[in-house]
Amino acid sequence: MSGHHHQCTENPPNLDPNSGSGHVEKLGNLDTYVSGSTHSKLAVLLVSHVFGYETPNLRKLADKVAEAGFYAVVPDFFHGDPYNPENQDRPLPIWIKDHGQEKGFEESKPIVEALKNKGITSIGAAGFCWGAKVAVELAKQKLVDATVLLHPSRVTVDDIKGVNIPIAVLGAKFDQVSPPELVRQFEYVLASKSEVKSVVKIFPSVKHGWTVRYNENDPSEVEAAEEAHKDMLAWLTNHVK
């Protein structure tokens, strides 16, 4: 496998089904980590990287989103089968055949439906790596009111051209999956769409995956991740209301 994808899979998290201060329940046919008040009219759908919804850093971020007043949901789009780097039989190119991003997008529609049925009036999406492709599809189809793509994987210039809702793209300087050159193209496309609110930011000292795969014991990694979390939350707070 070329180095192109290894950044999708380095620093694998220690998954923990009991992490976070929320709980898991069924939502739109998928087991979903939920956090925050069910009385909130505003929801944020966080779409995970290939390691899935038991990633403690992702759940911690969902809890942070919930503390800001949102009902935060992190569905298990991989049906109990997140990518496992220990499993030699299923390297990423094999695993991804069962867990394509188009399938993830299709499975996100009932989630949006279920949120609306709970009385949610506005939804934002935040997608990480694999999940950013799902988040951009939700944006293109206007199934959400705002979106944030964090170190996206397989998102194209054409995808970005199709977005007409508020969109933020947070990229890393050291990213072979979505290199800064590509993220700058996204910025160029969005700059020409004056009617679409957008922000594009490339974080200088970080690599692909930094917002959810940071090392808790490295202060500079934590600081860069928290800055991205703050940017993400500010965007969602401004545009999901």
Side-chain angles (χ1 to χ4, degrees):
M1 191 71 203
S2 70
H4 177 73
H5 288 291
H6 85 273
Q7 274 196 317
C8 291
T9 57
E10 58 191 26
N11 309 330
N14 294 315
L15 301 182
D16 179 359
N18 300 311
S19 58
S21 56
H23 65 275
V24 172
E25 61 179 61
K26 276 267 188 266
L27 186 69
N29 310 328
L30 297 181
D31 286 338
T32 302
Y33 175 79
V34 301
S35 187
S37 168
T38 46
H39 302 297
S40 177
K41 295 279 177 232
L42 310 174
V44 173
L45 165 58
L46 295 96
V47 191
S48 77
H49 56 171
V50 296
F51 298 106
Y53 84 134
E54 291 181 356
T55 300
N57 285 350
L58 186 59
R59 289 189 175 188
K60 204 191 290 183
L61 180 52
D63 292 343
K64 213 187 276 189
V65 169
E67 278 160 30
F70 295 100
Y71 186 59
V73 301
V74 192
D76 176 16
F77 286 106
F78 307 134
H79 301 269
D81 178 41
Y83 173 69
N84 176 6
E86 306 291 295
N87 184 348
Q88 304 296 317
D89 296 332
R90 297 186 75 207
L92 195 65
I94 302 292
W95 177 88
I96 205 97
K97 288 196 169 93
D98 292 330
H99 302 294
Q101 291 159 309
E102 295 73 22
K103 177 173 174 256
F105 169 60
E106 289 307 320
E107 292 188 339
S108 71
K109 291 177 186 172
I111 300 275
V112 169
E113 217 38 52
L115 289 170
K116 289 184 172 161
N117 290 341
K118 284 182 185 287
I120 300 282
T121 54
S122 186
I123 303 171
F128 304 80
C129 311
W130 182 96
K133 182 75 166 181
V134 175
V136 83
E137 285 298 335
L138 285 163
K140 283 156 64 179
Q141 310 270 348
K142 292 196 165 67
L143 293 172
V144 292
D145 299 300
T147 193
V148 183
L149 312 183
L150 302 97
H151 36 82
S153 166
R154 302 188 184 193
V155 172
T156 65
V157 168
D158 278 343
D159 285 330
I160 300 295
K161 283 181 179 162
V163 174
N164 290 302
I165 60 161
I167 175 170
V169 183
L170 305 182
K173 182 176 179 189
F174 304 106
D175 193 329
Q176 294 137 16
V177 186
S178 290
E181 303 77 57
L182 179 63
V183 177
R184 289 277 173 243
Q185 284 178 279
F186 295 169
E187 186 175 38
Y188 180 74
V189 167
L190 291 166
S192 69
K193 297 166 73 121
S194 55
E195 72 289 357
V196 179
K197 293 191 174 73
S198 66
V199 66
V200 176
K201 181 169 172 181
I202 293 172
F203 284 67
S205 56
V206 297
K207 54 184 195 275
H208 182 83
W210 92 95
T211 69
V212 277
R213 295 209 287 278
Y214 56 90
N215 170 0
E216 289 103 353
N217 304 317
D218 180 330
S220 68
E221 283 196 21
V222 171
E223 192 183 348
E226 286 178 347
E227 184 185 338
H229 299 162
K230 212 162 68 191
D231 291 346
M232 177 191 101
L233 207 45
W235 191 256
L236 294 168
T237 303
N238 285 337
H239 301 292
V240 181
K241 52 186 180 207

